[in-house]
């Protein structure tokens, strides 16, 4: 698997991003905080600059307005390539994934029968919990039955046995992440859909793809999701825009829109026209993944279409990141991995049997240290950027019996050498820690 990412290719990848080896203040650092927001592609940022000069909105009959209309279509097509959506009109934009999920809840829940059961996931970001819980609470007369499906502590993935026990013909919604932003393991979404087909065929499957989108191939048709939502800033672009795929089943739901706005999706779902500079970067991201797919699988590059090259780039990322996962857990050379460190508690996957489920996102605590203290020390003494807190996933932490964790979250622009430096730093901290 390492062969896909040669040292030369890794350097080429790193050259395509801003602030890989130093921050915006020119301070040398190691960036292990991609789950909070990935590094930005240079070409994505260049696209922002190009289109930020345009003053026109779409819908006009003059050239600049037509350019903006074309840009919106190209952005939808790029997203369709990223997630294997059937066609660009299945894609609409929103201010954030949080906003889009709330909008979906406001459209879907009023249409459901009274007493419907709604199943949420304990491993999810609050964006995919609160949207449904709060909207259901505002519709008290509907008397919804909200249930929380557990996750398997050893993997951090949804507990299929528990899910099956909750399913019946009353279930109308299952909302789950593609991968937990804390535990970082891919959920078996095709198995989830298979269970729904058998026991709850009327249920809608809504997938929060925000954490997973940068880490591997996404196929909304294969998983048969009714909605798939992600944010630009988690996949090498910028803050301020999210994208959602909707099946025809959801796209035609009655939903709030201004009277003059188009009646048909995707525009009918969008509140106001998007900044062209926000739309342009996702096209650069798509093209980057296609470049990566060609670089990693060059032999037949001429014979495959753009979408296939994008998927190959995503597959290459997944395979290379498996190397980073093994390095984090098992160590690098003589440097011990997290599994061997005394005083370190890892949450979610830690057994090699389940490494294949895992992105390089690790949540842990260090004995005798608060999570904030670990993150602060890693930055102050070692210039390693990680994050501490509940990561907007309070239910996940409650399920684990804790309030917060340290999260180190890597991406394919990170290196095994950076992992070694992180492990050395954490090892020094464990050796300094007072024993209980």
């Amino acid at each position: 698997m390492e062969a896909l990412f040669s040292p030369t290719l890794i350097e080429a990848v790193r050259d395509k991003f801003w602030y890989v080896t130093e921050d915006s203040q020119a301070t040398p650092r190691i960036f292990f905080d991609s789950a909070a927001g990935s590094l930005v592609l240079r070409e994505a940022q260049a696209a922002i600059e190009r289109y930020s000069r345009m003053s026109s909105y779409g819908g006009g009959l003059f050239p600049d307005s037509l350019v903006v209309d074309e840009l919106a279509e190209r952005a939808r097509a790029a997203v369709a390539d990223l997630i294997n959506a059937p066609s660009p009109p299945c894609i609409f934009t929103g201010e954030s994934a949080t906003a889009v999920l709330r909008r979906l809840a406001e459209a879907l829940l009023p249409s459901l029968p009274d007493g419907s059961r709604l199943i949420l996931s304990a491993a999810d970001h609050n964006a995919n919990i609160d949207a449904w819980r709060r909207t259901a609470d505002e519709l008290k007369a509907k008397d919804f039955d909200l249930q929380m499906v557990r996750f398997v502590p050893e993997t951090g993935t949804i507990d299929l046995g528990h899910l099956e026990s909750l399913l019946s013909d009353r279930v109308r919604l299952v909302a789950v992440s593609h991968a937990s932003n804390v535990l970082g393991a891919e959920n078996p979404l095709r198995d989830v859909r298979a269970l729904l087909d058998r026991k709850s065929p009327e249920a809608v499957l809504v997938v929060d793809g925000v954490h997973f989108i940068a880490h591997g191939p996404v196929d909304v048709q294969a998983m048969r999701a009714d909605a798939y939502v992600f944010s630009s800033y988690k996949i090498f672009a910028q803050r301020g825009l999210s994208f959602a795929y909707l099946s025809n089943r959801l796209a035609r739901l009655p939903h709030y829109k201004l009277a003059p706005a188009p009646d048909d999706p995707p525009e009918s779902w969008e509140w106001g026209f998007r900044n062209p500079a926000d739309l342009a970067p996702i096209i650069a991201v798509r093209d980057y993944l296609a470049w990566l797919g060609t670089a990693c699988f060059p032999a037949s590059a001429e014979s495959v279409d753009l979408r296939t090259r994008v998927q190959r780039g995503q597959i290459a990322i997944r395979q290379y990141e498996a190397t980073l996962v093994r390095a984090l857990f098992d160590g690098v050379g003589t440097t011990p991995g997290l599994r061997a460190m005394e005083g370190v508690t890892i949450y979610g996957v830690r057994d090699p049997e389940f490494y294949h489920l895992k992105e390089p996102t690790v949540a842990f605590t260090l004995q005798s240290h608060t999570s904030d203290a670990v993150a602060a020390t890693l930055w102050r003494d070692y210039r390693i950027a990680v994050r501490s807190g509940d990561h907007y996933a309070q239910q996940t932490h409650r399920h684990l019996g804790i309030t917060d964790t340290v999260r180190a979250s890597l991406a394919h622009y990170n290196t095994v050498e950076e992992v070694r430096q992180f492990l050395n730093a954490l090892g020094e901290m464990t050796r300094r820690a007072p024993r209980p």
Side-chain angles (χ1 to χ4, degrees):
M1 287 189 289
E2 291 93 331
L4 287 178
F5 268 49
S6 67
T8 300
L9 181 57
I10 291 171
E11 285 307 309
V13 164
R14 286 162 70 84
D15 284 345
K16 290 183 178 292
F17 287 86
W18 285 105
Y19 304 132
V20 175
T21 59
E22 60 181 34
D23 67 13
S24 62
Q25 311 303 309
T27 301
R29 60 113 188 253
I30 292 173
F31 185 72
F32 279 9
D33 192 32
S34 287
S38 69
L39 296 180
V40 177
L41 270 171
R42 293 178 183 271
E43 278 301 312
Q45 188 262 337
I48 292 171
E49 289 190 353
R50 283 196 298 273
Y51 284 96
S52 64
R53 296 189 292 270
M54 298 195 69
S55 60
S56 297
Y57 282 166
L61 301 179
F62 50 91
D64 273 6
S65 182
L66 296 174
V67 167
V68 172
D69 282 335
E70 182 200 14
L71 177 65
E73 292 306 308
R74 289 170 56 211
R76 296 190 211 281
V79 173
D81 288 338
L82 288 174
I83 64 175
N84 197 33
S87 64
C90 298
I91 308 299
F92 80 91
T93 61
E95 300 80 4
S96 65
T98 300
V100 166
L101 288 164
R102 171 69 176 190
R103 195 170 304 165
L104 288 175
E106 290 174 342
L108 175 63
L109 296 194
S111 74
L112 299 182
D114 293 356
S116 293
R117 174 169 286 183
L118 316 177
I119 299 178
L120 313 178
S121 166
D124 272 33
H125 189 287
N126 272 68
N128 204 26
I129 294 176
D130 292 354
W132 308 103
R133 188 159 52 192
R134 293 287 296 275
T135 306
D137 190 56
E138 292 162 8
L139 298 168
K140 289 187 183 299
K142 303 288 288 184
D143 194 27
F144 290 124
D145 173 22
L146 265 71
Q147 296 289 330
M148 192 71 67
V149 65
R150 298 188 297 261
F151 58 86
V152 180
E154 293 78 14
T155 63
T157 57
I158 191 169
D159 185 331
L160 291 175
H162 187 222
L163 174 63
E164 186 170 15
S165 74
L166 296 174
L167 295 179
S168 71
D169 58 8
R170 291 176 51 222
V171 174
R172 290 296 186 273
L173 168 75
V174 174
V176 64
S177 60
H178 199 160
S180 162
N181 71 312
V182 175
L183 304 172
E186 183 176 4
N187 274 312
L189 295 176
R190 296 189 198 192
D191 294 337
V192 171
R193 174 54 85 182
L195 285 175
L196 297 185
D197 287 345
R198 283 198 352 234
K199 301 195 70 172
S200 306
E202 297 299 315
V204 167
L205 177 61
V206 175
V207 181
D208 175 353
V210 172
H211 181 71
F212 185 84
I213 189 67
H215 295 291
V218 178
D219 190 336
V220 296
Q221 295 186 76
M223 69 179 70
R224 290 189 291 136
D226 291 289
Y228 192 96
V229 180
F230 71 92
S231 296
S232 293
Y233 75 100
K234 298 298 178 75
I235 183 169
F236 323 135
Q238 83 299 347
R239 293 185 180 274
L241 194 67
S242 64
F243 293 95
Y245 157 78
L246 291 186
S247 67
N248 189 60
R249 180 184 186 185
L250 288 190
R252 297 293 173 180
L253 283 172
H255 54 276
Y256 174 83
K257 74 173 193 68
L258 297 182
D263 291 326
D264 295 324
E267 292 88 353
S268 63
W269 283 89
E270 295 175 339
W271 296 354
F273 199 84
R274 301 300 170 208
N275 179 2
D278 289 340
L279 290 167
I282 202 68
I283 302 168
V285 170
R286 187 270 315 273
D287 292 346
Y288 164 74
L289 290 171
W291 166 83
L292 186 61
T294 301
C296 291
F297 300 96
S300 58
E302 297 298 323
S303 62
V304 297
D305 60 15
L306 178 60
R307 185 171 292 197
T308 300
R309 282 182 279 139
V310 169
Q311 291 169 344
R312 288 180 175 182
Q314 294 168 320
I315 290 168
I317 285 173
R318 185 72 163 171
Q319 292 188 358
Y320 172 69
E321 288 186 351
T323 304
L324 300 177
V325 169
R326 290 195 302 274
L328 282 165
F329 286 131
D330 297 340
V332 180
T334 60
T335 302
L338 291 172
R339 295 173 68 226
M341 289 187 186
E342 187 176 353
V344 172
T345 300
I346 303 166
Y347 297 95
V349 170
R350 58 170 291 133
D351 190 319
E353 177 185 356
F354 302 117
Y355 284 1
H356 67 284
L357 299 173
K358 185 79 170 163
E359 301 105 41
T361 298
V362 182
F364 64 95
T365 53
L366 178 57
Q367 190 176 59
S368 302
H369 290 71
T370 66
S371 296
D372 284 350
V374 174
T377 301
L378 284 171
W379 178 254
R380 184 189 66 236
D381 295 350
Y382 304 99
R383 291 295 184 258
I384 299 173
V386 300
R387 190 163 293 263
S388 58
D390 62 24
H391 317 298
Y392 277 72
Q394 293 176 333
Q395 193 69 41
T396 306
H397 287 85
R398 289 192 192 110
H399 195 69
L400 294 168
I402 56 178
T403 59
D404 53 77
T405 51
V406 184
R407 183 182 65 190
S409 51
L410 289 63
H412 71 287
Y413 40 65
N414 292 117
T415 66
V416 171
E417 171 56 23
E418 289 177 325
V419 173
R420 185 189 66 79
Q421 293 181 51
F422 166 72
L423 294 173
N424 277 333
L426 199 59
E428 289 181 9
M429 292 175 64
T430 64
R431 290 189 290 274
R432 295 199 305 262
R435 295 291 172 244

